[in-house]
Amino acid sequence: MQFLDKQFKDLEEELKLTDKAKEQLKSKIMYNSHKTKKRNKKYYGWVTAVTCILLIITSPLYSSKMASMASKILPISILPNYSNGQENPDLTSQLFELVEKEGYIVNSVGITPSPYTIEISLFLKDSTLKQAAEDLEPKVKSYLYENGYDKYELKVSEAAEAEALQEGQGDESSIVYEKVREIVKEVFILYGYVKEADYELAGLKTSKASNIVTIDMPDHIQESTEIVTEIEKKIESKNLDIEDIEVNTFNFSHRQQDDRWAYIASDIYDAMAGKSTYQLTGLSYKVKDGHTYVSIKTDLEKQPSKEIIQEIKLATQEYLALPETKEKIVNDNYSIQFLLKNKKSFVKITS
């Protein structure tokens, strides 16, 4: 309750609410907290009352301060990249859909960290970039504020060579690569290596003089020579402009672990990035001797409050306990830590 009272004191200062309005809002939040059965009721049951906060955000008092307040009140929600066989929409896909609904043709929506930057690239026909930006920025910012994002940069840009990109025209090397990729996958499946074939095992090094195919060969495969010979034959049969094939071996189980933790680490990072409460600046992970090490970097000078630390721990642990996540982790040993700006750990979760 003390934490809730403090939040409302901060809220009162920022909004200059009357005592009556403040009590009404507090009553609504407490009422909703009793109805919910979500996690962390002891500390954060009240934070699930998002509706009340949205009423504030959409009021005439709407401002970036409201976004900051929302980022503190909205709970952390870490979702797996895939759930029940379907891909869960992340922020980029949600913004892609939002902009399309406004009648624009979207080339891409991308996010880069440190500083957390969202860039929306458009194909423009009937409007200028200035007009599109003036139209979209308030709507995108409103959506971001409602979802707790309050520490980001937003860029709206025009896609280069829009007509060629829209028609899906690819250059010659891309066409060659796709054909080689299909051949490599086909041959690995032919030899019974279906799981291996699902990985990107083919590459293409191009220059003005030649094209060289690179093949990543799992080191447990004993028929590697036969597989490469078969790939060469199929390339020749399709008259592809390939001068040579280079083979590199790798540990397949290591790569599998590395690939699955790319998704897991990103899920955790994405849930808190772009929000001033957590001040995330970067993500790194590595697999060594079968153990995965994940480091989530922040710009925090000192440890956050006990409540925030507790929320980060619980949200991460609940995500790791989800059936979808457990299936992906398999039996991996792991260490996940959140780091202050000075690289000192303030949250650490291990298997």
Side-chain angles (χ1 to χ4, degrees):
M1 288 299 296
Q2 288 182 342
F3 184 61
L4 177 58
D5 290 337
K6 183 178 184 303
Q7 290 291 333
F8 271 94
K9 185 177 179 182
D10 294 340
L11 181 62
E12 181 184 18
E13 288 298 317
E14 293 186 3
L15 298 181
K16 302 300 181 185
L17 288 177
T18 63
D19 289 341
K20 182 178 180 181
K22 183 177 70 172
E23 288 305 315
Q24 287 176 340
L25 178 60
K26 186 173 181 178
S27 297
K28 288 179 181 178
I29 290 180
M30 293 307 295
Y31 173 72
N32 277 307
S33 74
H34 294 308
K35 291 199 301 181
T36 184
K37 292 183 179 179
K38 290 187 177 181
R39 64 174 178 79
N40 303 347
K41 285 202 292 183
K42 182 176 179 182
Y43 293 103
Y44 288 107
W46 57 275
V47 300
T48 58
V50 176
T51 305
C52 301
I53 302 307
L54 298 187
L55 290 173
I56 299 172
I57 293 174
T58 54
S59 75
L61 294 168
Y62 166 83
S63 70
S64 59
K65 287 187 177 181
M66 292 303 90
S68 180
M69 193 64 196
S71 73
K72 296 172 186 175
I73 292 177
L74 290 172
I76 300 172
S77 178
I78 307 177
L79 297 174
N81 190 267
Y82 281 87
S83 179
N84 298 321
Q86 295 184 335
E87 186 174 5
N88 288 322
D90 57 10
L91 180 61
T92 55
S93 59
Q94 290 164 352
L95 291 178
F96 195 106
E97 183 179 350
L98 184 154
V99 175
E100 277 195 326
K101 285 181 178 179
E102 294 300 323
Y104 290 92
I105 301 174
V106 186
N107 174 42
S108 65
V109 177
I111 295 176
T112 55
S114 194
Y116 190 80
T117 304
I118 300 167
E119 182 166 2
I120 300 170
S121 173
L122 305 171
F123 294 125
L124 296 174
K125 284 186 175 181
D126 303 323
S127 64
T128 66
L129 179 59
K130 182 180 179 183
Q131 290 170 334
E134 289 176 351
D135 179 30
L136 287 174
E137 283 182 2
K139 296 165 185 174
V140 172
K141 286 181 178 180
S142 178
Y143 179 87
L144 292 169
Y145 289 160
E146 290 170 6
N147 287 276
Y149 294 90
D150 67 332
K151 190 175 178 60
Y152 63 88
E153 293 180 12
L154 176 62
K155 294 180 180 179
V156 178
S157 62
E158 183 175 3
E161 301 178 4
E163 291 183 2
L165 289 170
Q166 276 183 284
E167 293 171 2
Q169 295 176 353
D171 59 27
E172 187 176 341
S173 62
S174 296
I175 295 171
V176 172
Y177 168 71
E178 285 303 321
K179 291 181 178 180
V180 168
R181 183 171 172 268
E182 289 174 8
I183 289 172
V184 170
K185 186 169 184 176
E186 179 186 335
V187 172
F188 272 87
I189 291 174
L190 180 66
Y191 276 81
Y193 297 105
V194 179
K195 289 183 178 180
E196 289 81 352
D198 282 338
Y199 284 79
E200 290 297 324
L201 301 177
L204 187 66
K205 295 196 296 186
T206 63
S207 67
K208 291 181 180 180
S210 65
N211 293 322
I212 297 175
V213 171
T214 60
I215 298 175
D216 287 347
M217 182 67 66
D219 57 11
H220 65 274
I221 293 180
Q222 297 181 0
E223 307 96 329
S224 58
T225 302
E226 293 89 335
I227 288 173
V228 173
T229 300
E230 187 65 29
I231 290 171
E232 287 176 336
K233 289 179 181 178
K234 289 186 177 293
I235 287 174
E236 289 175 4
S237 69
K238 293 185 180 293
N239 294 317
L240 298 181
D241 182 21
I242 302 297
E243 181 180 321
D244 196 8
I245 295 178
E246 293 181 359
V247 180
N248 304 298
T249 59
F250 70 95
N251 184 293
F252 186 63
S253 61
H254 179 100
R255 179 170 293 187
Q256 284 182 305
Q257 185 172 346
D258 188 89
D259 286 352
R260 55 182 174 258
W261 277 94
Y263 288 104
I264 295 168
S266 294
D267 286 344
I268 298 169
Y269 182 88
D270 291 345
M272 288 169 262
K275 301 173 184 180
S276 61
T277 301
Y278 313 107
Q279 297 187 42
L280 304 193
T281 58
L283 166 68
S284 65
Y285 75 98
K286 66 178 180 180
V287 176
K288 184 176 181 181
D289 298 328
H291 193 107
T292 304
Y293 300 88
V294 178
S295 295
I296 297 174
K297 304 167 188 176
T298 78
D299 209 27
L300 296 169
E301 300 280 357
K302 59 180 181 179
Q303 283 200 2
S305 67
K306 291 181 179 179
E307 290 84 2
I308 290 174
I309 289 175
Q310 179 74 353
E311 185 179 11
I312 291 172
K313 283 183 178 179
L314 288 175
T316 305
Q317 288 168 341
E318 288 190 355
Y319 164 77
L320 294 171
L322 290 173
E324 300 93 327
T325 313
K326 289 175 73 174
E327 183 180 353
K328 192 171 289 183
I329 291 173
V330 195
N331 295 314
D332 296 343
N333 292 317
Y334 60 84
S335 301
I336 302 168
Q337 58 180 345
F338 288 75
L339 305 176
L340 298 174
K341 191 173 183 179
N342 63 9
K343 299 183 180 180
K344 183 179 179 181
S345 175
F346 66 91
V347 169
K348 189 169 185 178
I349 299 168
T350 60
S351 57

